[in-house]
Amino acid sequence: MAIRDARDLAPGEELTADICIIGAGPAGIVLGLELARTGIEVVVLEGGGEERSDESQDLYRGENIGEDYFELDLTRVRQFGGSTNHWEGYCRPLDREDFDRPPAADLEGWPFSRSELIDHYREASRLCEIDDSLELSGEHWASRVGAGLIDMEPTTVRSEVLFRSPPTNFARRYGPELAEADSVSIYLHANVVELTWEQDRVSSVRIAHFNGATQTITASKFVLAVGGLEVPRLLLVSPGPHGNGIGNQHDQVGRYFMEHPHLITPHLVTHDLDQFSFYTEETVIENTRLIGILTLSPELRSARAIGNATAVLQTASNFGQRWSDADPLGKGVRSLVGGLNDLTSPEQELLNVRFITEQVPNARSRVVLSSHHDPFGLPRIALDWQLHPIDYHTIRKAVETVGTQLANAGLGRLNAPTHGGLLPYRILGGNHHMGTTRLSEDPTRGVVDASLRVHGVENLYIASSSVFPTGGWANPTLTILALTLRLADHLKESSG
Amino acid sequence: MSESTPRIDRRQILIGMGLTGLALATWPTSWLLATGSSATDIAAERIAALFNGRDGLDGLGQQYLRSAQGRVDPKDLVEEILPPSIGLRAFVDASDDEVRLLLSARVADDFVSHRITSVEGWILSRTEMKIAALVTLRGI
Ligand SMILES: Cc1cc2nc3c(=O)[nH]c(=O)nc-3n(C[C@H](O)[C@H](O)[C@H](O)COP(=O)(O)OP(=O)(O)OC[C@H]3O[C@@H](n4cnc5c(N)ncnc54)[C@H](O)[C@@H]3O)c2cc1C
């Protein structure tokens, strides 16, 4: 069926379906495609339109009341295709150890191992138009193009790869196929404002329009696929059985918000930029784009009790250059390295290093409802992003380890901001919103069970990074899609 | 490179270091090398010469001198900077490239042996800090 505009529905009109998917970002679109193959009647409700609009984007505004963070309407896109209208396309599965290691002594991690997701990860890779071998070893890929790897102790720091999708825009790439499916109806400009509760289940959802009209959609099952910040919002604004939000009987909705803390060190001073080319320049092998990265070995992480992390090397931007010029000690380091290596062009010695690290789930880091409202009268969100001392420890150790290893190998000197135990550089996020309805078999410690069904609600599921119980350091979309495909299998089985 | 390297090489080194003809005439290398302290001076000069025209070492050097909390003697620095297996005279006789290699090996050894220090976030080897201090002291 074609893509429709919900603004054309009559006020008060009611729609019905077997499964109602709320949100058509990559998760909602892929779930719709999978269910379309079974003939189950599906309705997809997407708040945005085919083009970006200020009116729609404004619904995403909110407040930051914790760590410094991106404006909440700039860190996601409310448009058909969701944030893949703007994403960078970096893709990588979580590591095996991310699934196996509990994040803290008193908090469980993933209730299943990565092997359970492997086939889904492969399919997710195909959807993102990257290689589906899940081969992450730097050696494997470098040898295929005859590139050199930098030599470090593999028990400490390893060379691996990060894949890069074209980047696939899920609305453009898969929207037409979804629109053609007989059993699927897609409505754009269909902003869901409430989930209606009735005896242990969600009976319907209400959509609203800027002109005040509303409609109701009734279904046997509902799937929230509105992104990691909006999922808790929709649950919290829907009163549910206890009046404090659906699935929120244990005050868990919105908690455990995780990002991937990013730290960009101004530079790595090296005497031979060429040896880093596998890491700084994209390699294309049979249509797969990838770059080399440095990762911390699992042995090192458990020995030091730190989270997961990677270092991505980039040729220094002008910004990096200016930054380094403003740092008198950095100038001295460049002179040292230059003098010892007889370098003649000091401008060619710099790399930026971007550390992307794991944040441990912590209940104080959360999404709450703000006192401000959007044009539909819905409370906006306030994001209280909180880092735990372990997160700073992870960042420091990651920088220190990579810095020491690079120096040990005679490759360069890294500015590792660890002095005084403080980090002088700003920690950024990565536009990755995870953990706000975390997966836990224990309803007092999370919001969804292993089948991604909301605890205490018979027919409500979540397809989003909001269910990640831990987030490793890897960009989330591949894992979101793998989980979505797994959920599709579950829904297909349970629907018939 | 050995203790028996002909004197002419030492002269070339000194010329390479930019010492004036007058200085060479007044301070023949044989005389310079007759005393340990003069050889140390030459070694210090050789090290510092690698960083001629390169800015910013002062900042690192001052950090080292501040943390040393007392008078730092350039001679001690030279002794600590030189690889223990290399005699002072052999060092003085080495070519610029060899000097660089010797110092780089010393620095690499520091990293392997965890003789490292963090200065406002910069992970550096102790030898590097001493080199910076030596250059700074010579500039004073
Ligand atoms: C600048 C940027 C760069 C990024 N780069 C990468 C990267 O390199 N790699 C990576 O893995 N990830 C990246 N991401 C993150 C990635 O885009 C997200 O992980 C991914 O889009 C999440 O997919 P999703 O379907 O769960 O949610 P979204 O993409 O957020 O989609 C949610 C959909 O729900 C709709 N919606 C929201 N609320 C409602 C409502 N109330 N009613 C109806 N519909 C609603 C939205 O309009 C949207 O279409 C990036 C994000 C940004 C912003």
Side-chain angles (χ1 to χ4, degrees), chain A residues 22-28 45-48 60 74-84 86-91 190-192 225-227 230 234 430-432 463-465 475-478 480:
Chain A
I22 304 158
L45 304 174
E46 164 55 43
Y60 267 167
L74 299 181
T75 184
R76 52 207 176 130
V77 184
R78 197 168 172 123
Q79 177 188 345
F80 184 34
S83 294
T84 62
H86 267 298
W87 74 319
E88 298 272 349
Y90 289 110
C91 289
N191 287 293
V192 173
V226 289
E230 216 59 8
L234 269 186
N431 299 300
H432 305 159
S464 165
S465 46
N475 310 62
T477 307
L478 205 65
I480 296 174

Side-chain angles (χ1 to χ4, degrees), chain A residues 267 335 343 408 413 415-416, chain B residues 54-55 100 107 111 121-122 128:
Chain A
H267 51 253
S335 289
L343 292 183
N408 276 354
R413 300 288 174 280
N415 184 240
Chain B
R54 296 184 189 269
D55 300 339
R100 274 192 202 97
V107 168
F111 280 108
W122 286 101
E128 287 176 314

Side-chain angles (χ1 to χ4, degrees), chain B residues 37-135:
Chain B
S37 64
S38 296
T40 311
D41 271 352
I42 299 176
E45 188 68 49
R46 305 260 357 241
I47 294 169
L50 299 181
F51 303 94
N52 270 348
R54 296 184 189 269
D55 300 339
L57 282 176
D58 266 19
L60 292 170
Q62 295 294 359
Q63 288 265 358
Y64 179 87
L65 296 173
R66 265 198 299 279
S67 68
Q69 287 178 345
R71 201 175 161 275
V72 177
D73 189 336
K75 291 191 181 71
D76 295 340
L77 284 175
V78 170
E79 269 166 33
E80 287 163 22
I81 290 168
L82 292 199
S85 55
I86 301 291
L88 195 53
R89 290 189 56 178
F91 185 81
V92 166
D93 283 341
S95 70
D96 273 1
D97 282 346
E98 285 168 334
V99 168
R100 274 192 202 97
L101 273 178
L102 286 169
L103 294 181
S104 297
R106 183 85 170 118
V107 168
D109 188 48
D110 275 356
F111 280 108
V112 173
S113 315
H114 294 285
R115 285 192 300 271
I116 54 176
T117 178
S118 171
V119 189
E120 298 201 5
W122 286 101
I123 302 177
L124 294 169
S125 102
R126 297 227 182 110
T127 300
E128 287 176 314
M129 287 303 284
K130 286 172 188 165
I131 292 173
L134 183 67
V135 174

Side-chain angles (χ1 to χ4, degrees), chain A residues 100-177:
Chain A
D100 297 345
R101 220 175 109 184
D106 58 349
L107 207 57
E108 308 122 58
W110 292 82
F112 46 82
S113 68
R114 194 176 82 155
S115 56
E116 189 170 321
L117 274 189
I118 282 296
D119 289 341
H120 302 307
Y121 264 134
R122 286 192 208 288
E123 179 58 21
S125 302
R126 290 189 282 272
L127 287 163
C128 291
E129 302 173 275
I130 59 166
D131 182 87
D132 64 1
S133 65
L134 303 176
E135 177 57 77
L136 300 176
S137 125
E139 218 172 317
H140 170 89
W141 292 104
S143 69
R144 286 188 59 182
V145 285
L149 291 180
I150 53 184
D151 191 19
M152 298 209 255
E153 270 170 52
T155 52
T156 312
V157 176
R158 302 193 296 204
S159 285
E160 296 192 348
V161 298
L162 181 57
F163 293 105
R164 185 129 196 229
S165 161
T168 308
N169 176 319
F170 276 66
R172 283 203 214 117
R173 177 74 181 78
Y174 302 108
E177 191 182 334

